[in-house]
Amino acid sequence: MDVIENIKRQIADNPVILYMKGTPDFPQCGFSGRAVQILDKCGVEYAFVNVFEAPEVRENLKLVSHWPTFPQLFVRGELVGGSDIMMELYESGELQKLLAGATKAGERQD
């Protein structure tokens, strides 16, 4: 499968997916760590892709999302943004509304 097609499939198949540096248990940058903390506070299940373990995704995701940095959060197939945008949306209550119904609350999909 082509890398771009694989990324699009990941985004389509997962209601909430975080492309990040590291893993939720071991984030490898502060921004990815903050994104995980925000999602965990929201209590949602989410899939993740460690872009350090998938360099082809790291190089090609920006062609799909048109967003150059990581982390990148997608909800229901749409790019939400990085950790700064996630924090703004969380503080305003908009992220919780966006995530409502996207998944069952409670567990991550690791």
Side-chain angles (χ1 to χ4, degrees), residues 5 10 12 14 17 21-22 25 33 37-39 47-48 52 55 57 61 63 66 69 73 76-78 85 91 97 100:
E5 290 175 17
Q10 290 171 338
N14 293 284
I17 186 166
K21 294 178 179 178
D25 292 328
Q37 289 175 341
I38 293 166
L39 289 174
F48 72 94
F52 287 147
V57 172
L61 182 60
L63 300 175
H66 307 288
T69 59
L73 176 68
R76 296 185 193 120
E78 297 293 324
I85 292 171
E91 289 174 345
K97 291 176 189 174

Side-chain angles (χ1 to χ4, degrees), residues 8 12 30 42 74 82:
K8 289 179 179 179
C42 291
F74 287 81

Side-chain angles (χ1 to χ4, degrees), residues 43-64:
V44 298
E45 285 185 12
Y46 59 95
F48 72 94
V49 175
N50 178 353
V51 298
F52 287 147
E53 292 181 357
E56 70 284 357
V57 172
R58 184 178 186 184
E59 288 301 314
N60 288 282
L61 182 60
K62 59 189 163 198
L63 300 175
V64 175

Side-chain angles (χ1 to χ4, degrees), residues 69-88:
T69 59
F70 294 94
Q72 292 186 26
L73 176 68
F74 287 81
V75 177
R76 296 185 193 120
E78 297 293 324
L79 175 67
V80 173
S83 62
D84 290 344
I85 292 171
M86 290 173 64
M87 182 58 79
E88 288 175 20

